[in-house]
Amino acid sequence: MLIEELHSALPHLDFTERKSLSPLCTLRVGGEAEVFTAPSSIEDMKNLFAFVVSRKIPFYILGGGSNVLFPNGLVHGVVISTENLKSIEWRTNLTVDVDAGFKLPMLMKELREKDLAGMEFAAGIPGTLGGALYGNAGAGGRGVCELVDHVLAVEANGEVKMWNNNELDYGYRKCSLADGKRIIVNARMTFRQAKPKDKDVLESYLLRRGSQPHGLHTHNAGCTFKNPEGNSAGKLLDECGCKNLSAGDAVVSDVHANFILNRGNATADDVIRLIEICAGRVYEKTGIKLEPEIKIFAPCSLM
Ligand code: EPU
């Protein structure tokens, strides 16, 4: 049994068997993890990752769950969450070391309290810093990766490597660290003193966020597709009549066509079917191939 193997190799870590995954993602879809664990220190993460890789155990890294789609049924292997890596340590007035599991909205709050600026474009983005770096989350042509001085990642051999900003290759919704071979655990970021106009920029991003579905009962995973170069996926989907299309309990928002909502009991298959229907429609009508932004959970194993 996998859980017994993990317990005996790493006795001071907590492991949960058959952990329900849907509460761990904002879309509220998914089955169970064979084993789930959320190490609370970088040291524990190092030991765990080295063991999992050496034993060729399939693994999945989970951040805030705001951009992922878990499959239904049993997910074999171990789901490793960064939710307990959540420390934040200010090094100077402007520079901070933040753990991967620290929530992005909490970081925005810290910046507001300290009157710092530089990350206004991330206003309203949910999830954790680690997930945001993994997908270079952002808006308006900006992305979180551009703000890091360096990133610390646990590599497959169990060592912590420091990646300086100039060693990273990042762009629109992509970052070279996101190749399934490491776990982002911490980042050093530098901000600047806020100027009066930063508040207006922040407001303008919040205003754009206001045109997206929000509220307690709108379970979704953010934008479904990436924007194709020079175009807007939401606009294309809207023009192709995708609003309100549905598959099972998954439905395209009538507020913003690039959002899929879970009406209650959607399965991963419903969501995937709806993604395919929407992408098919847009391709048929415009010849443009939309690329999903939502990460469909697939196992990593470094064989
Ligand atoms: N539009 C429509 N119909 C729709 C949706 C949008 O006509 O159903 C039009 C809007 O009126 C606007 C244009 O499309 O003229 C662009 O829409 P919006 O301003 O909502 O921005 P977006 O390009 O759809 C991007 C990011 C969002 C981010 C917003 C706001 C991507 C894929 N999306 O959306 O990020 O919140 O800008 O800054 O890059 C996410 O990545 O999960 C996400 C939500």
Side-chain angles (χ1 to χ4, degrees):
M1 290 279 276
L2 178 58
I3 192 150
E4 282 156 15
E5 189 183 346
L6 288 162
H7 265 314
S8 61
L10 303 155
H12 59 290
L13 261 74
D14 284 333
F15 296 101
T16 311
E17 208 170 11
R18 299 199 76 109
K19 169 96 168 175
S20 175
L21 289 170
S22 65
L24 303 181
C25 73
T26 53
L27 201 46
R28 297 287 189 272
V29 163
E32 290 177 332
E34 182 180 4
V35 175
F36 172 90
T37 184
S40 48
S41 70
I42 294 177
E43 199 53 36
D44 284 348
M45 198 63 104
K46 280 169 61 176
N47 295 333
L48 171 71
F49 197 42
F51 181 76
V52 162
V53 170
S54 71
R55 296 294 172 101
K56 298 183 168 53
I57 297 167
F59 63 88
Y60 310 75
I61 313 298
L62 176 61
S66 52
N67 200 28
V68 291
L69 176 61
F70 297 128
N72 286 99
L74 188 66
V75 171
H76 287 284
V78 53
V79 172
I80 303 170
S81 165
T82 57
E83 70 184 17
N84 288 328
L85 290 183
K86 49 187 179 194
S87 84
I88 179 163
E89 204 178 320
W90 287 90
R91 316 295 302 190
T92 69
N93 287 344
L94 303 178
T95 298
V96 63
D97 287 342
V98 192
D99 271 357
F102 198 80
K103 293 275 189 332
L104 212 58
M106 294 293 291
L107 184 55
M108 294 296 295
K109 188 164 166 266
E110 286 255 339
L111 298 183
R112 264 200 318 278
E113 283 166 8
K114 291 184 179 290
D115 205 24
L116 296 178
M119 207 168 75
E120 293 65 36
F121 62 85
I125 298 181
T128 57
L129 176 65
L133 292 172
Y134 193 90
N136 195 19
R142 310 274 316 271
V144 174
C145 289
E146 69 192 67
L147 296 170
V148 299
D149 301 340
H150 67 237
V151 176
L152 299 183
V154 174
E155 303 291 320
N157 59 5
E159 277 169 19
V160 175
K161 179 166 168 162
M162 183 191 289
W163 295 84
N164 288 316
N165 188 306
N166 61 10
E167 295 174 283
L168 306 177
D169 183 15
Y170 51 85
Y172 173 66
R173 299 294 194 272
K174 67 178 168 70
C175 170
S176 51
L177 295 180
D179 58 1
K181 294 185 177 154
R182 57 185 60 79
I183 306 174
I184 294 172
V185 288
N186 185 280
R188 177 164 295 179
M189 307 175 84
T190 297
F191 300 97
R192 58 176 170 75
Q193 283 303 325
K195 300 183 193 114
K197 81 170 181 14
D198 291 319
K199 223 178 173 176
D200 301 337
V201 177
L202 185 86
E203 290 299 327
S204 72
Y205 279 109
L206 284 173
L207 205 68
R208 281 184 72 187
R209 283 260 154 204
S211 71
Q212 299 169 359
H214 49 268
L216 265 183
H217 302 292
T218 50
H219 295 307
N220 68 77
C223 284
T224 311
F225 296 99
K226 296 181 186 180
N227 282 338
E229 210 168 332
N231 217 324
S232 157
K235 192 160 177 285
L236 285 167
L237 289 155
D238 193 0
E239 286 168 355
C240 294
C242 293
K243 279 182 174 170
N244 294 315
L245 284 181
S246 63
D249 246 3
V251 61
V252 176
S253 162
D254 61 357
V255 174
H256 193 301
N258 203 12
F259 282 69
I260 288 178
L261 312 179
N262 179 355
R263 273 193 295 223
N265 295 308
T267 64
D269 289 346
D270 293 339
V271 178
I272 290 169
R273 206 148 34 95
L274 192 52
I275 288 174
E276 285 167 356
I277 292 170
C278 290
R281 262 208 190 199
V282 171
Y283 183 66
E284 215 173 85
K285 298 204 174 182
T286 67
I288 297 171
K289 279 190 179 157
L290 291 179
E291 195 191 327
E293 178 178 322
I294 295 181
K295 307 248 175 322
I296 299 171
F297 227 49
C300 300
S301 75
L302 303 174
M303 306 273 175

